[in-house]
Amino acid sequence: MLLWHVRKDNSGFTLIEMIAVTIITGIIAAIAAPNLLGLLNRNRVNQAMGQVEGALKEAQKQAIRTGRQCTININADSITNPAGGTGCLLSNRILNNLVTLNSNRTTIVFSGKGNITIDNTTGNPRPVLITSMANGTDRQACVVIQSKLGSVRTGEYTGDPATLGDDSSDNCQ
């Protein structure tokens, strides 16, 4: 004998409930998508900046370790050893094709002691390397070789990367 009479109701969701859930899900996705894309772009720029910083430090350490001059070439999409063989990078750094690299120098030369030449009067300013998205989003990361001793500083770039000059290192905050 059953003490409770159990009612079996096999009905599912109504069409109105399904439409309401779909609309709510669509609204949440529309709000979240731009934030997700912005986060993805910031991560790409930060990863490129890490590659640039790593290449600079690697070349400097190799110059100190070997006691000889080392040169690296800077392009819009990569940091490479020069063709002549004086480079010290163990591997070339090729950036993501969505990220561009701007610099006020095309080559950086480290002495056997890890120093670089900085002289704003002769057109050899502090190296400033800026990574940004190729589509022009606002996130710009920068790497500056701060002194002749080769100390490296990273930060956010607040200026226009297309007009890099002698004072560009001041815009790397």
Side-chain angles (χ1 to χ4, degrees):
M1 174 176 166
L2 288 173
L3 299 176
W4 292 282
H5 180 65
V6 179
R7 181 175 167 221
K8 291 187 177 182
D9 189 16
N10 288 333
S11 65
F13 296 106
T14 65
L15 181 60
I16 294 176
E17 291 171 334
M18 294 293 286
I19 291 172
V21 168
T22 304
I23 290 172
I24 291 171
T25 304
I27 291 171
I28 291 172
I31 292 170
N35 292 334
L36 185 61
L37 291 176
L39 176 66
L40 184 61
N41 287 341
R42 282 191 302 276
N43 285 341
R44 285 180 180 148
V45 169
N46 286 339
Q47 181 184 17
M49 184 192 63
Q51 286 182 321
V52 169
E53 182 182 11
L56 291 172
K57 288 181 177 181
E58 178 182 319
Q60 183 182 32
K61 287 179 183 178
Q62 289 288 14
I64 293 169
R65 187 181 67 78
T66 61
R68 65 179 176 86
Q69 178 176 305
C70 291
T71 304
I72 57 174
N73 290 338
I74 301 163
N75 303 310
D77 61 350
S78 63
I79 296 179
T80 60
N81 285 317
T86 60
C88 286
L89 292 177
L90 299 176
S91 64
N92 293 332
R93 305 303 199 283
I94 309 299
L95 303 179
N96 184 322
N97 60 353
L98 299 174
V99 177
T100 58
L101 176 63
N102 293 325
S103 178
N104 60 351
R105 288 199 186 179
T106 56
T107 60
I108 297 176
V109 179
F110 290 99
S111 72
K113 295 181 181 181
N115 302 336
I116 63 166
T117 305
I118 296 175
D119 186 2
N120 290 344
T121 60
T122 62
N124 208 2
R126 289 185 203 130
V128 178
L129 294 95
I130 303 165
T131 58
S132 60
M133 291 299 295
N135 62 6
T137 56
D138 59 349
R139 170 75 171 130
Q140 300 177 58
C142 56
V143 179
V144 177
I145 300 181
Q146 190 60 34
S147 65
K148 292 182 180 184
L149 297 177
S151 61
V152 177
R153 176 172 54 100
T154 61
E156 285 276 327
Y157 192 74
T158 57
D160 182 12
T163 58
L164 287 172
D166 293 349
D167 60 347
S168 298
S169 63
D170 296 337
N171 292 329
C172 188
Q173 308 283 324

